Amino acid sequence: MKEVKAFAPATVANVACGFDILGFAVDSPGDEIEMKLVDKPGIVIKDITGDEGRLSRNPRENTATVSVYQFLEKIGAEKAGIEVTLHKKMPFGSGLGSSSASTVAGAFAVNALFDNPLSMEELLPFAMEGERVACGAAHADNVAPALYGGFVLVRSYDPLDVVRLNVPEELCCAVVHPHIEVSTKDARNILRGEVPLADAVRQWGNVGGLIAGLEQENYDLIGRSLQDVVVEPIRSMLIPGFDEVKRAAVYAGSMGTAISGSGPSVFSLCKGMEKAERIANAKVEAFKAIGIDSDKFVSKVNKEGPKIIY
Amino acid sequence: MKEVKAFAPATVANVACGFDILGFAVDSPGDEIEMKLVDKPGIVIKDITGDEGRLSRNPRENTATVSVYQFLEKIGAEKAGIEVTLHKKMPFGSGLGSSSASTVAGAFAVNALFDNPLSMEELLPFAMEGERVACGAAHADNVAPALYGGFVLVRSYDPLDVVRLNVPEELCCAVVHPHIEVSTKDARNILRGEVPLADAVRQWGNVGGLIAGLEQENYDLIGRSLQDVVVEPIRSMLIPGFDEVKRAAVYAGSMGTAISGSGPSVFSLCKGMEKAERIANAKVEAFKAIGIDSDKFVSKVNKEGPKIIY
């Protein structure tokens, strides 16, 4: 019987100034999924590894498989039988788009299983549906970069308008995930409903600078634009030692450092892998100095999105 | 004695979503200035045409000449004698960067008069000083595009960070200036000091889309991004018939229509001069229908900035 194994990448949403509109994918970590066509109709989750029993084994409730039903309906294959094994290879609640990686892996794998009837653009709504099940809202700022790879701008949600951006070749990312819990809901609830116009203007100036920097491959401009004057001053209070960690990253050569998604992971962008490694170590040390353990993930900005392993 | 005549273009600031951070130059209208080296030290304004007596003939108070003093000091030519004639060729208080065109014409002309010792980047602070005299604040969103040409992003004011953006070849602009008065001060004072976070997010999504559209030469994306959900809903109340004029522009094929600067001029962007002409006429008619006369200016987006006429 036909079988595929697919990988989908972790993602950094918000990217400093781009709250709710920007995200990018990284080469690692990411989730893997195996899907096998079987005779018996229906979707069965055979196994999930790496989730410590936290994810639902019910395929209608699992973020990796919920959109597979819609996919099968779309291509007229409702009676297909599929066995699924999900390998969670990244932390939950880390601000690295864990549910998006699973949902994109699922959508990408089932498309491959049926010889890719849908384009990535056509798959996006399916993947967003998986995100809706996981988060209660169909956000796209993790799902879209996980699916497309690279940097992605969600210009608008209504109607959905997703724009792929250029990624300079040497752009690398150092993410450190401190072992503390920040719920996405809390991170959203502490935000103010209104922002000073002057801060909003600074923020959209930086969004403009970041996108111009990416398109023009101007690393200095990217670095100058990685500032968040609206969300970070509030959300960083949920991450002990954030200021020290950010300072350590700057000393180690980071172009810009900010909260990944709703946290608690802290990402830095820089030029080249060597520097990324140094920055990640500096951030791990800074968290350690205040008694917080952390994981580091160092990689290039991922340009390809999900891929087939076999 | 050496003599130059220079032109500097009108500019559209804000550009829908880019309040206080975006501007572009147009081929017409614009101001012209003549400068002549004379034996007698000091700067003399010999004549100003087209201003109906509204501008100061005192060179230390006139926006076109005030920065010339600083320029001469910078290059060590304080004792030079210069005779100036300014030709105002665009309306005052129109939202088209009238004072910026004069101040840029002055700075550009005196630089040319001394064989261009300063680059455009080095001239910017001088030109901003002229804007400060005219407006009370050293804004850059008209001055920078008037000086550099094309689309310009003012990412930050402190420190000043001005980014030149790509301009798609066929991008044209139709501006209509209704004969009503809107003071820049009033236009600023009616704005709210705080904006809803959700609106700010939509706005920076559109800023991102507009800049990506310019860099990627994606006209559709530029058009979709030309939306202002923060400032236009308030400022448009100062422009009678704004909604009808905008609707007329859309019917005539505009990609996007918004207030130029702080108004009352209304600009539209589109692809090609023929369409720009049609859009301008539609807007003139729409203003006329409610009894307001207007001027139209149709041109390509200017890529060169100021130029020497002789």
mmCIF file of all heavy atoms in Angstrom, chain A residues 105-126:
data_model
loop_
_atom_site.group_PDB
_atom_site.id
_atom_site.type_symbol
_atom_site.label_atom_id
_atom_site.label_comp_id
_atom_site.label_asym_id
_atom_site.label_seq_id
_atom_site.Cartn_x
_atom_site.Cartn_y
_atom_site.Cartn_z
ATOM 1 N N ALA A 105 1.826 19.376 8.369
ATOM 2 C CA ALA A 105 2.382 18.052 8.040
ATOM 3 C C ALA A 105 1.263 17.130 7.558
ATOM 4 O O ALA A 105 1.413 16.418 6.552
ATOM 5 C CB ALA A 105 3.096 17.458 9.256
ATOM 6 N N GLY A 106 0.121 17.155 8.265
ATOM 7 C CA GLY A 106 -1.007 16.310 7.884
ATOM 8 C C GLY A 106 -1.566 16.655 6.517
ATOM 9 O O GLY A 106 -1.772 15.763 5.672
ATOM 10 N N ALA A 107 -1.791 17.923 6.285
ATOM 11 C CA ALA A 107 -2.373 18.352 5.006
ATOM 12 C C ALA A 107 -1.412 18.073 3.850
ATOM 13 O O ALA A 107 -1.812 17.625 2.771
ATOM 14 C CB ALA A 107 -2.724 19.846 5.069
ATOM 15 N N PHE A 108 -0.124 18.334 4.090
ATOM 16 C CA PHE A 108 0.880 18.122 3.058
ATOM 17 C C PHE A 108 1.016 16.632 2.733
ATOM 18 O O PHE A 108 1.113 16.232 1.561
ATOM 19 C CB PHE A 108 2.217 18.692 3.539
ATOM 20 C CG PHE A 108 3.293 18.704 2.506
ATOM 21 C CD1 PHE A 108 3.299 19.663 1.496
ATOM 22 C CD2 PHE A 108 4.316 17.771 2.531
ATOM 23 C CE1 PHE A 108 4.298 19.685 0.535
ATOM 24 C CE2 PHE A 108 5.327 17.782 1.576
ATOM 25 C CZ PHE A 108 5.319 18.736 0.579
ATOM 26 N N ALA A 109 1.004 15.799 3.793
ATOM 27 C CA ALA A 109 1.187 14.353 3.597
ATOM 28 C C ALA A 109 0.009 13.741 2.835
ATOM 29 O O ALA A 109 0.202 12.952 1.912
ATOM 30 C CB ALA A 109 1.365 13.662 4.949
ATOM 31 N N VAL A 110 -1.218 14.116 3.212
ATOM 32 C CA VAL A 110 -2.359 13.496 2.538
ATOM 33 C C VAL A 110 -2.425 13.942 1.079
ATOM 34 O O VAL A 110 -2.795 13.174 0.186
ATOM 35 C CB VAL A 110 -3.685 13.763 3.292
ATOM 36 C CG1 VAL A 110 -4.148 15.196 3.179
ATOM 37 C CG2 VAL A 110 -4.781 12.815 2.768
ATOM 38 N N ASN A 111 -2.014 15.194 0.818
ATOM 39 C CA ASN A 111 -1.952 15.659 -0.572
ATOM 40 C C ASN A 111 -0.947 14.825 -1.362
ATOM 41 O O ASN A 111 -1.224 14.413 -2.499
ATOM 42 C CB ASN A 111 -1.559 17.142 -0.583
ATOM 43 C CG ASN A 111 -1.815 17.826 -1.924
ATOM 44 O OD1 ASN A 111 -2.857 17.599 -2.550
ATOM 45 N ND2 ASN A 111 -0.889 18.672 -2.347
ATOM 46 N N ALA A 112 0.201 14.553 -0.746
ATOM 47 C CA ALA A 112 1.227 13.745 -1.413
ATOM 48 C C ALA A 112 0.746 12.310 -1.627
ATOM 49 O O ALA A 112 1.009 11.695 -2.660
ATOM 50 C CB ALA A 112 2.512 13.742 -0.583
ATOM 51 N N LEU A 113 -0.001 11.800 -0.639
ATOM 52 C CA LEU A 113 -0.519 10.439 -0.718
ATOM 53 C C LEU A 113 -1.418 10.256 -1.949
ATOM 54 O O LEU A 113 -1.502 9.167 -2.517
ATOM 55 C CB LEU A 113 -1.316 10.150 0.559
ATOM 56 C CG LEU A 113 -1.473 8.715 1.044
ATOM 57 C CD1 LEU A 113 -0.123 8.050 1.270
ATOM 58 C CD2 LEU A 113 -2.273 8.696 2.364
ATOM 59 N N PHE A 114 -2.085 11.341 -2.339
ATOM 60 C CA PHE A 114 -2.965 11.286 -3.521
ATOM 61 C C PHE A 114 -2.332 11.986 -4.728
ATOM 62 O O PHE A 114 -3.033 12.521 -5.583
ATOM 63 C CB PHE A 114 -4.329 11.890 -3.176
ATOM 64 C CG PHE A 114 -5.141 10.992 -2.281
ATOM 65 C CD1 PHE A 114 -5.046 11.088 -0.896
ATOM 66 C CD2 PHE A 114 -5.969 10.020 -2.826
ATOM 67 C CE1 PHE A 114 -5.774 10.241 -0.073
ATOM 68 C CE2 PHE A 114 -6.705 9.167 -2.012
ATOM 69 C CZ PHE A 114 -6.606 9.273 -0.629
ATOM 70 N N ASP A 115 -1.001 12.025 -4.761
ATOM 71 C CA ASP A 115 -0.255 12.578 -5.896
ATOM 72 C C ASP A 115 -0.523 14.064 -6.132
ATOM 73 O O ASP A 115 -0.631 14.513 -7.282
ATOM 74 C CB ASP A 115 -0.539 11.767 -7.169
ATOM 75 C CG ASP A 115 -0.053 10.333 -7.018
ATOM 76 O OD1 ASP A 115 1.020 10.141 -6.412
ATOM 77 O OD2 ASP A 115 -0.764 9.413 -7.466
ATOM 78 N N ASN A 116 -0.640 14.819 -5.035
ATOM 79 C CA ASN A 116 -0.679 16.279 -5.072
ATOM 80 C C ASN A 116 -1.750 16.903 -5.970
ATOM 81 O O ASN A 116 -1.437 17.700 -6.851
ATOM 82 C CB ASN A 116 0.704 16.823 -5.459
ATOM 83 C CG ASN A 116 1.774 16.378 -4.490
ATOM 84 O OD1 ASN A 116 1.627 16.583 -3.280
ATOM 85 N ND2 ASN A 116 2.815 15.736 -4.982
ATOM 86 N N PRO A 117 -3.011 16.548 -5.740
ATOM 87 C CA PRO A 117 -4.072 17.196 -6.526
ATOM 88 C C PRO A 117 -4.211 18.693 -6.210
ATOM 89 O O PRO A 117 -4.680 19.455 -7.067
ATOM 90 C CB PRO A 117 -5.330 16.434 -6.107
ATOM 91 C CG PRO A 117 -5.009 15.836 -4.770
ATOM 92 C CD PRO A 117 -3.541 15.543 -4.805
ATOM 93 N N LEU A 118 -3.833 19.126 -5.022
ATOM 94 C CA LEU A 118 -3.997 20.542 -4.657
ATOM 95 C C LEU A 118 -2.648 21.270 -4.568
ATOM 96 O O LEU A 118 -1.637 20.689 -4.164
ATOM 97 C CB LEU A 118 -4.714 20.679 -3.306
ATOM 98 C CG LEU A 118 -6.113 20.058 -3.171
ATOM 99 C CD1 LEU A 118 -6.767 20.537 -1.874
ATOM 100 C CD2 LEU A 118 -7.011 20.402 -4.352
ATOM 101 N N SER A 119 -2.671 22.550 -4.940
ATOM 102 C CA SER A 119 -1.484 23.396 -4.783
ATOM 103 C C SER A 119 -1.355 23.809 -3.321
ATOM 104 O O SER A 119 -2.287 23.637 -2.530
ATOM 105 C CB SER A 119 -1.621 24.642 -5.659
ATOM 106 O OG SER A 119 -2.657 25.455 -5.126
ATOM 107 N N MET A 120 -0.210 24.378 -2.969
ATOM 108 C CA MET A 120 -0.025 24.860 -1.588
ATOM 109 C C MET A 120 -1.080 25.921 -1.251
ATOM 110 O O MET A 120 -1.607 25.948 -0.139
ATOM 111 C CB MET A 120 1.374 25.473 -1.402
ATOM 112 C CG MET A 120 2.519 24.480 -1.482
ATOM 113 S SD MET A 120 2.464 23.164 -0.236
ATOM 114 C CE MET A 120 2.070 21.766 -1.273
ATOM 115 N N GLU A 121 -1.392 26.781 -2.213
ATOM 116 C CA GLU A 121 -2.404 27.820 -1.969
ATOM 117 C C GLU A 121 -3.762 27.176 -1.680
ATOM 118 O O GLU A 121 -4.513 27.644 -0.834
ATOM 119 C CB GLU A 121 -2.533 28.752 -3.194
ATOM 120 C CG GLU A 121 -1.401 29.744 -3.356
ATOM 121 C CD GLU A 121 -0.109 29.118 -3.861
ATOM 122 O OE1 GLU A 121 -0.114 27.946 -4.300
ATOM 123 O OE2 GLU A 121 0.937 29.807 -3.798
ATOM 124 N N GLU A 122 -4.055 26.099 -2.396
ATOM 125 C CA GLU A 122 -5.336 25.413 -2.174
ATOM 126 C C GLU A 122 -5.350 24.653 -0.848
ATOM 127 O O GLU A 122 -6.412 24.421 -0.272
ATOM 128 C CB GLU A 122 -5.630 24.468 -3.350
ATOM 129 C CG GLU A 122 -5.977 25.211 -4.636
ATOM 130 C CD GLU A 122 -5.979 24.296 -5.864
ATOM 131 O OE1 GLU A 122 -5.153 23.356 -5.935
ATOM 132 O OE2 GLU A 122 -6.804 24.534 -6.761
ATOM 133 N N LEU A 123 -4.173 24.256 -0.388
ATOM 134 C CA LEU A 123 -4.104 23.522 0.892
ATOM 135 C C LEU A 123 -4.269 24.445 2.104
ATOM 136 O O LEU A 123 -4.647 23.991 3.188
ATOM 137 C CB LEU A 123 -2.762 22.790 1.029
ATOM 138 C CG LEU A 123 -2.600 21.439 0.347
ATOM 139 C CD1 LEU A 123 -1.216 20.864 0.690
ATOM 140 C CD2 LEU A 123 -3.690 20.443 0.763
ATOM 141 N N LEU A 124 -3.964 25.748 1.918
ATOM 142 C CA LEU A 124 -3.943 26.659 3.072
ATOM 143 C C LEU A 124 -5.244 26.648 3.884
ATOM 144 O O LEU A 124 -5.198 26.542 5.118
ATOM 145 C CB LEU A 124 -3.570 28.080 2.617
ATOM 146 C CG LEU A 124 -3.471 29.125 3.742
ATOM 147 C CD1 LEU A 124 -2.415 28.729 4.778
ATOM 148 C CD2 LEU A 124 -3.140 30.500 3.175
ATOM 149 N N PRO A 125 -6.413 26.728 3.252
ATOM 150 C CA PRO A 125 -7.638 26.723 4.067
ATOM 151 C C PRO A 125 -7.799 25.442 4.887
ATOM 152 O O PRO A 125 -8.303 25.491 6.014
ATOM 153 C CB PRO A 125 -8.753 26.828 3.022
ATOM 154 C CG PRO A 125 -8.113 27.394 1.806
ATOM 155 C CD PRO A 125 -6.700 26.925 1.819
ATOM 156 N N PHE A 126 -7.351 24.315 4.360
ATOM 157 C CA PHE A 126 -7.427 23.058 5.115
ATOM 158 C C PHE A 126 -6.523 23.124 6.345
ATOM 159 O O PHE A 126 -6.910 22.748 7.444
ATOM 160 C CB PHE A 126 -7.027 21.871 4.226
ATOM 161 C CG PHE A 126 -7.966 21.640 3.088
ATOM 162 C CD1 PHE A 126 -7.714 22.172 1.842
ATOM 163 C CD2 PHE A 126 -9.135 20.913 3.275
ATOM 164 C CE1 PHE A 126 -8.601 21.975 0.794
ATOM 165 C CE2 PHE A 126 -10.028 20.709 2.230
ATOM 166 C CZ PHE A 126 -9.762 21.252 0.991
#
